Amino acid sequence: MTSLLQPVTNSSPDATRHTRHATMAGVGVYLPEGLLTNADLEVMVETSDTWIMERTGIRTRHRAGSGETAAMMGVKAARRAMQMAGVDTVGAIICATCSPDTLMPAAACFIQRELGLVGMPCFDLNAACSGYVFGLNVANSLIQTGSIDSALVIASEAMTSLVDFTDRTTCVLFGDGAGAAVLKATDAPGIRATRWGADASRADIIYIGPKQDNEDSVDALRMRGSNTFRLAVDRMVAMGEELAAAAGWKVSEVDFFIPHQANQRIIEAVGKRLGVGLDKVIINVSEVGNTSAASIPLALGDAHLSGRLKRGDKVVCIAFGAGATWGGVAMEWQLDPPAATR
Ligand code: ACO
């Protein structure tokens, strides 16, 4: 199949084309306390724990409570990332979200206000489930060109506010939460390669609106599940291979792939097609469901905080989402595991 990704135009690894680089200096996660279990969903729609577990691998999801907006959850993850990075300010605040508190001002502006910061550019970015890696792409480029020396990239989603809880085909999938990273300028990468892309001819597979067969239904998140499944696997596999090559690694040398957590079966299919064992794939979908843009930073944060990631590990994040959009980042992990896990 012809690659829709930006082609690798240079046979040398991407990172060798730049003298300035970005690295992740801190990560933070936040999950609301509220839980939505498969048993809760069995009461709301005609479904079963067995169907949900077999088709998706999702056991539970977190649900934001009153006042827990995308910005408010984002602030909590951002504070943790800034504390880990040891910084009290950054050069830009980017918030990836498709469920912002309001269309304007941006959630990133509310986050800036709550953090007590002023001056730096703050903006939201909507690439659905690919939003976090799009945010890393933007921040990495701004750091490489010298526009800024650091950035806070947050992905925060109140997905349960977009879901139609009478539509069993989607309401069992999504959850709320936030993840954040502080990127800092460094002499050596850090981030070794990035990719991103879109194909709007597939815009109809995931969208906010009425059901395709019922114009009178409420505007909510709708998805053509099986079409999305195939495309998500194809794109993430192609990107995983291309990112590893662009970073100068063989696929077999990558220590961890962190795919968008849409569905256990998608993640397993991606691992199989990449030819890597599931021990090399970070998976937390059973506990959090599909948290759209927040999915990869929540999985990455989990992997770091639990001590799975070690300094020097080769990590490849790959996302696919509405648009259709896709994106990814290959990076050498530069943080030591938390002391409590050593
Ligand atoms: N409980 C019980 N039955 C259900 C449920 C449910 N919750 N949902 C659907 N069904 C039924 C359907 O009605 C259908 O019944 P029918 O055969 O009588 O018509 C049957 O189960 C099979 O439905 P499918 O949609 O074919 O089920 P599938 O195995 O494809 O699983 C799923 C559906 C889980 C949505 C899967 O297709 C999937 O995960 N797709 C990809 C999601 C994804 O990648 N998203 C990424 C981006 S998300 C974003 O960007 C916001």
Side-chain angles (χ1 to χ4, degrees), residues 303-324:
H304 173 65
L305 295 169
S306 65
R308 263 184 102 180
L309 296 185
K310 307 280 184 291
R311 184 185 285 272
D313 275 353
K314 299 175 177 66
V315 178
V316 174
C317 302
I318 39 181
F320 177 86

Side-chain angles (χ1 to χ4, degrees), residues 18-25 90-92 94 135-153 181-191:
H18 303 277
T19 51
R20 268 172 69 97
H21 303 279
T23 201
M24 256 184 214
V90 287
I94 303 170
L136 293 180
N137 263 271
V138 173
N140 181 53
S141 301
L142 290 172
I143 288 173
Q144 280 176 334
T145 58
S147 295
I148 55 175
D149 291 325
S150 64
L152 191 49
V153 179
V182 171
L183 294 193
K184 275 187 185 172
T186 44
D187 294 333
I191 292 182

Side-chain angles (χ1 to χ4, degrees), residues 26 30 74 78 103 118 125 127 140 160 168 179 189 197 214 232 244 278 289 297 321:
Y30 175 74
L103 273 183
V118 69
L125 180 161
N140 181 53
T160 60
R168 69 176 182 173
N214 180 4
L278 284 186

Side-chain angles (χ1 to χ4, degrees), residues 255-340:
D255 294 292
F256 289 107
F257 283 93
I258 308 186
H260 171 50
Q261 308 283 309
N263 176 324
Q264 177 79 21
R265 285 159 55 219
I266 291 183
I267 297 169
E268 285 174 4
V270 168
K272 195 171 173 193
R273 291 246 317 257
L274 282 170
V276 301
L278 284 186
D279 57 323
K280 288 189 157 197
V281 183
I282 303 291
I283 310 176
N284 68 346
V285 69
S286 67
E287 292 96 50
V288 299
N290 181 345
T291 56
S292 189
S295 162
I296 286 179
L298 280 171
L300 178 69
D302 234 31
H304 173 65
L305 295 169
S306 65
R308 263 184 102 180
L309 296 185
K310 307 280 184 291
R311 184 185 285 272
D313 275 353
K314 299 175 177 66
V315 178
V316 174
C317 302
I318 39 181
F320 177 86
T325 56
W326 54 83
V329 171
M331 60 188 161
E332 197 172 302
W333 196 244
Q334 301 288 0
L335 291 169
D336 288 320

Side-chain angles (χ1 to χ4, degrees), residues 86-152:
V87 299
D88 52 19
T89 191
V90 287
I93 300 176
I94 303 170
C95 182
T97 183
C98 59
S99 51
D101 312 29
T102 59
L103 273 183
M104 62 179 183
C109 294
F110 292 133
I111 291 171
Q112 183 200 43
R113 184 176 68 188
E114 288 299 311
L115 292 174
L117 299 174
V118 69
M120 71 285 293
C122 300
F123 59 95
D124 287 0
L125 180 161
N126 179 354
C129 302
S130 309
Y132 177 70
V133 290
F134 271 47
L136 293 180
N137 263 271
V138 173
N140 181 53
S141 301
L142 290 172
I143 288 173
Q144 280 176 334
T145 58
S147 295
I148 55 175
D149 291 325
S150 64
L152 191 49

Side-chain angles (χ1 to χ4, degrees), residues 214-232:
N214 180 4
E215 282 185 7
D216 295 330
S217 55
V218 294
D219 284 358
L221 199 160
R222 310 291 177 192
M223 183 162 65
R224 290 163 67 181
S226 49
N227 303 50
T228 308
F229 196 113
R230 283 191 292 274
L231 200 57

